[in-house]
């Protein structure tokens, strides 16, 4: 995408979320709002942020498009820091089973769940995965997401894992949304390795992970650390191997049972620990002390009818909290940013300010991009959203409705 030149002026609220690292605890309430604000983006990079009254004369920028944001709030582009958006097939039948009372893990144990999607993803062509992935990115962009994390993990063999990651690399080169790719070969144990989980991890560590790195297909590495999936010691071994190859670390932690995944994430200084529905008090304390981002996925808890992660407690314990949709075909088949805001504020007791921070600068930190995006700061990439209302507080208040009017990516209007 070309690097655009644009001026957004007269914003009722310029919600800068200013910062270059994750905000913890009480800091999450500080959005650094400028009333009647202007942003200037030159060559795709933010060059001015401030009051209209202090703005350089617009005549100094004859080659800049000018957007009048009178009566509208302007925010950083949203960062959805946990998704599985490249996959084959769907699991609508399993959704109806869950409504009858079957648990997510019981469906997985009898060959459904992740294994079901694995088969469909292995059978899907590169072009099929790319076409469906592009449609999902289009939907994300329309809701204000300008950076997204995408995980592999529905292949669980070399060919299919590489295929997923190559699809994401191709989409990243073509689509407006920036994609941070994560290798998650250890999402479950495929049938051919049943009962031989350690052999499967050896295969991933020795044969697949080095090729992912050599082909530069992923920035991060993730594992499903959970009872009856991969235990703490297996997860530690896998993640240390990934770190030794130069991957940044993420971890699916303490989703179903209290296992110690949060503590492991803190020990290894991962970028983020994700899910955390069953995280212990000690684990939450370790995340706060280490600065590892606690990425919470309320749409998943909503879909599975589970208790929500303790977002209020985590922020009060000085954690840096991020929010993400967990878009996937099983436990959270949604990329709805409006639903995410509503659930976070109504059921997880985050304030609107904390929810905005969680989906901007903290989301960027959760994917290692807080130096480049996630806030409206001079020197950062010009990724913004303009709402149709004058305040960010409409995001959770206008329940379930997309109120994003315009999306600007690298100084270009990409949604209007």
């Amino acid at each position: 995408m070309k690097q655009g030149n644009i001026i957004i002026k007269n914003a009722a609220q310029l919600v800068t979320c200013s910062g270059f690292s994750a905000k913890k605890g009480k800091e999450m309430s500080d959005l650094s709002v400028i009333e009647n604000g202007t942003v200037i983006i030159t060559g795709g990079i933010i060059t001015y942020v401030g009051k209209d009254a202090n703005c350089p004369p617009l005549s100094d920028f004859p080659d800049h498009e000018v957007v009048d944001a009178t009566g509208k709030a302007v925010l950083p582009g949203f960062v959805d820091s946990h998704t599985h958006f490249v996959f084959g097939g769907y699991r609508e039948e399993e959704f109806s089973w869950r409504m009858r009372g079957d648990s997510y893990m019981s469906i997985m144990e009898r060959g459904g769940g992740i294994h079901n999607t694995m088969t469909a993803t292995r059978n899907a062509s590169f072009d099929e995965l790319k076409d469906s992935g592009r449609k999902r990115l289009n939907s994300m962009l329309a809701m204000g997401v300008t950076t997204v994390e995408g995980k592999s993990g529905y292949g669980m063999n070399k060919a299919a894992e590489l295929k997923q990651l190559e699809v994401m690399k191709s989409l990243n080169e073509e689509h407006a949304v920036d994609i941070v790719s994560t290798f998650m070969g250890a999402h479950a144990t495929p049938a051919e390795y049943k009962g031989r989980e350690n052999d499967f991890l050896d295969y991933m560590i020795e044969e697949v992970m080095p090729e992912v790195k050599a082909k530069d297909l992923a920035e991060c590495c993730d594992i499903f650390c959970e009872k009856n999936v991969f235990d703490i010691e297996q997860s530690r071994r896998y993640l240390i191997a990934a770190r030794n190859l130069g991957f940044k670390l993420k971890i699916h932690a303490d989703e179903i049972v209290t296992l110690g995944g949060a503590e492991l994430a803190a020990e290894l200084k991962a970028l983020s620990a994700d899910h955390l529905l069953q995280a212990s008090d000690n684990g939450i304390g370790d995340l706060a002390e280490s600065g590892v981002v606690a990425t919470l996925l309320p749409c998943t808890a909503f879909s599975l009818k589970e208790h929500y992660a303790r977002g209020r407690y985590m922020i009060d314990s000085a954690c840096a909290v991020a929010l993400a949709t967990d878009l996937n075909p099983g436990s959270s088949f949604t990329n709805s940013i409006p639903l995410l805001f509503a659930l976070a504020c109504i059921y997880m007791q985050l304030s609107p300010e904390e929810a905005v921070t969680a989906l901007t600068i903290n989301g960027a930190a959760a994917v290692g991009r807080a130096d480049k995006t996630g806030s409206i700061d001079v020197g950062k990439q010009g990724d913004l959203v303009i709402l149709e209302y004058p305040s960010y507080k409409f995001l959770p208040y206008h329940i379930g409705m997309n109120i994003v009017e315009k999306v600007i990516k690298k100084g270009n209007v990409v949604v209007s």
Side-chain angles (χ1 to χ4, degrees):
M1 173 179 289
K2 70 180 180 71
Q3 310 301 301
N5 300 322
I6 196 168
I7 298 171
I8 300 96
K9 66 175 186 175
N10 301 329
Q13 288 182 340
L14 188 54
V15 184
T16 69
C17 302
S18 183
F20 290 80
S21 61
K23 296 186 179 183
K24 301 172 63 174
K26 293 179 180 178
E27 297 171 350
M28 289 184 62
S29 295
D30 180 12
L31 297 183
S32 300
V33 177
I34 299 171
E35 295 183 356
N36 301 314
T38 291
V39 183
I40 300 175
I41 301 169
T42 303
I45 301 298
I46 298 169
T47 56
Y48 174 82
V49 181
K51 289 273 193 182
D52 294 335
N54 301 328
C55 179
L58 298 189
S59 58
D60 290 351
F61 304 91
D63 58 345
H64 284 54
E65 179 181 356
V66 178
V67 174
D68 188 347
T70 298
K72 304 177 190 304
V74 178
L75 292 85
F78 302 137
V79 181
D80 191 346
S81 58
H82 181 131
T83 83
H84 306 251
F85 78 92
V86 174
F87 58 85
Y90 295 96
R91 295 186 349 227
E92 71 283 354
E93 189 64 32
E94 293 179 12
F95 182 84
S96 66
W97 295 346
R98 291 207 313 274
M99 297 307 99
R100 285 202 314 250
D102 292 4
S103 73
Y104 177 82
M105 291 304 288
S106 71
I107 292 170
M108 183 171 164
E109 287 163 4
R110 65 176 188 254
I114 293 168
H115 298 99
N116 188 339
T117 301
M118 178 196 73
T119 300
T121 302
R122 287 182 177 182
N123 291 336
S125 70
F126 179 94
D127 287 341
E128 287 170 337
L129 292 177
K130 186 174 177 180
D131 286 347
S132 60
R134 183 187 296 106
K135 290 175 183 176
R136 292 171 195 137
L137 288 175
N138 291 342
S139 177
M140 293 175 194
L141 187 64
M143 293 188 188
V145 172
T146 53
T147 300
V148 67
E149 186 252 18
K151 303 179 192 293
S152 69
Y154 289 129
M156 291 183 277
N157 64 23
K158 184 189 286 188
E161 286 293 306
L162 293 177
K163 178 173 63 176
Q164 276 190 277
L165 291 167
E166 286 165 348
V167 164
M168 284 185 254
K169 183 174 183 178
S170 180
L171 286 168
N172 188 47
E173 292 167 352
E174 299 175 12
H175 203 279
V177 176
D178 284 335
I179 301 168
V180 180
S181 294
T182 294
F183 169 58
M184 196 180 174
H187 199 183
T189 303
E192 58 264 34
Y193 279 93
K194 187 172 182 180
R196 298 188 296 125
E197 288 81 7
N198 285 315
D199 290 343
F200 175 65
L201 288 179
D202 288 342
Y203 165 66
M204 281 291 155
I205 290 168
E206 295 168 11
E207 295 194 36
V208 185
M209 195 183 288
E211 189 154 350
V212 171
K213 189 63 180 177
K215 292 185 174 182
D216 194 25
L217 293 176
E219 296 178 36
C220 308
C221 191
D222 197 346
I223 188 170
F224 191 5
C225 180
E226 188 58 70
K227 182 181 179 182
N228 298 327
V229 189
F230 300 107
D231 64 25
I232 292 294
E233 193 48 49
Q234 290 169 329
S235 301
R236 179 184 285 111
R237 180 165 72 91
Y238 175 86
L239 291 172
I240 288 175
R243 185 174 64 188
N244 289 342
L245 281 175
F247 290 101
K248 300 169 186 176
L249 306 184
K250 299 173 76 69
I251 181 170
H252 281 53
D254 301 319
E255 178 183 5
I256 311 297
V257 300
T258 306
L259 199 66
E263 290 90 333
L264 179 62
E267 172 195 328
L268 298 178
K269 293 186 168 47
L271 283 176
S272 70
D274 301 19
H275 284 292
L276 301 171
L277 278 68
Q278 306 298 332
S280 68
D281 290 356
N282 286 338
I284 291 168
D286 287 354
L287 293 177
E289 186 175 347
S290 66
V292 172
V293 177
T295 299
L296 309 185
L297 313 170
C299 295
T300 310
F302 176 74
S303 177
L304 296 177
K305 297 195 291 186
E306 297 287 349
H307 292 292
Y308 293 89
R310 295 184 288 161
R312 177 76 269 136
Y313 178 83
M314 291 178 192
I315 294 173
D316 290 344
S317 299
C319 280
V321 168
L323 292 168
T325 63
D326 192 21
L327 169 63
N328 74 79
S331 60
S332 181
F333 187 41
T334 182
N335 60 281
S336 175
I337 296 302
L339 177 62
L340 181 64
F341 269 112
L343 295 177
C345 293
I346 297 170
Y347 291 106
M348 295 174 65
Q349 298 179 300
L350 272 67
S351 69
E353 293 77 14
E354 291 164 343
V356 169
T357 296
L359 202 62
T360 55
I361 187 62
N362 282 9
V367 294
R369 295 283 178 93
D371 61 329
K372 297 178 181 177
T373 191
S375 68
I376 305 176
D377 280 305
V378 170
K380 284 200 177 183
Q381 198 162 271
D383 299 350
L384 311 176
V385 296
I386 301 177
L387 305 184
E388 60 182 81
Y389 291 103
S391 170
Y392 64 86
K393 292 181 180 178
F394 280 81
L395 286 162
Y397 165 58
H398 200 19
I399 296 173
M401 302 302 293
N402 183 18
I403 62 170
V404 172
E405 183 175 276
K406 285 184 174 63
V407 182
I408 293 155
K409 181 68 181 181
K410 297 178 183 176
N412 301 288
V413 177
V414 290
V415 173
S416 181

